[in-house]
Amino acid sequence: MTFREIYKSLRDLLRSASESAGTEALLLLSHVTGMTKERILLCFEDQIDDISSERILELARLRLSGFPLQYITKKCYFYGLELDIEDGVFIPRVETEVLVDLALDLIEREDLKTVLDVGTGSGAIAIAIALNSHCKVYGTDIHEKAIYIAQRNAKKYNAEITFLKGPFLEPVKGFLKEIDLVVSNPPYVSTSANLSKEVLKEPSNALFAGKEGIDFYRKFFADRSLLKGKDVIMEFSPEQVDHLREICFFGKISFFHDQFGKIRFFHVKV
Ligand code: SAM
Ligand code: GLN
């Protein structure tokens, strides 16, 4: 079988699972053969070995069962970075790149020095901020595997970040005074939401936050004396805007849109 033939059958197979079946087919081919996408296109008429073609079809079946491509290739992309990812750790979304931009703008405007990323997952937000500012950055998560992957990603980019395990502000309570800005893309999906089978393969701790998806915000802001004087920027789901106004009644809250025109982030000074 040639590369062209396997590419075509892979692409047709993946059409039922993905809107970008052609790209996914190339990424799978590249993952299994270790060849770059460009090289594969140059070798389109060459024969692919049987072991590789069998492995590719096996992975295509896994993909068709709803397993996200990023968990198969163990790579994801965020803010121009290629990050390691593994099953069990949330896959960064493109919307969250806007949260990084909002944070970097505020850091520059207010000359902020220390940032905490709560629920860091793969470390995506923390690493993008560390690499694009002069801030000292901390990242926390309740999930051991997330901390491990985040550390690996930070090391890959030589980003000096301290990752700590624990919920909300607990891991940093000894030096909270030092922190100027808290950023977070917390779990905010309602437990009654209808998610695709791909998203449901991601860890539920990273996604769900009670009936209305607002449990994380309620708990986070419950003891706001801890946050006095700090800036907070977080991601949320558009239908939660009124809840957030109510939860953040104590300060001036501003809302921002994502690149798809949806209201998606808020900033509050506590
Ligand atoms: N920041 C990453 C990103 O944007 O790609 C991951 C975001 S994911 C939606 C939410 C993360 O928060 C998960 O990694 C989850 O383990 C973590 N998490 C959930 N509840 C938490 C809590 N109470 N305290 C700290 N982290 C929490
Ligand atoms: N945007 C995610 C989704 O695709 C949810 C992210 C989150 O809960 N922080 O459902």
Side-chain angles (χ1 to χ4, degrees), residues 90-93 96 117-122 124-125 140-143 146 166-168 185-187 205-207 216:
F90 183 84
I91 301 165
R93 305 293 203 268
T96 309
D117 175 21
V118 177
T120 198
S122 62
I125 300 172
T140 61
D141 207 290
I142 47 170
H143 188 27
F168 303 104
N185 170 22
N205 270 347
L207 294 168
F216 181 96

Side-chain angles (χ1 to χ4, degrees), residues 90 93 95 185-189 195 199 206-208 235 264:
F90 183 84
R93 305 293 203 268
E95 288 91 323
N185 170 22
Y188 60 67
V189 179
L195 298 182
V199 176
L207 294 168
F208 298 109
E235 187 171 321
R264 181 70 68 194

Side-chain angles (χ1 to χ4, degrees), residues 48 86 92 99 152 156 174 197:
I48 182 165
E86 276 185 25
L99 185 148
R152 217 161 79 188
K156 174 171 172 183
K197 57 181 182 181

Side-chain angles (χ1 to χ4, degrees), residues 41-60:
L41 293 170
L42 286 173
C43 299
F44 242 34
E45 308 311 330
D46 295 356
Q47 293 291 317
I48 182 165
D49 66 90
D50 289 350
I51 294 176
S52 298
S53 58
E54 266 163 40
R55 178 81 187 125
I56 284 167
L57 292 173
E58 201 180 296
L59 294 182

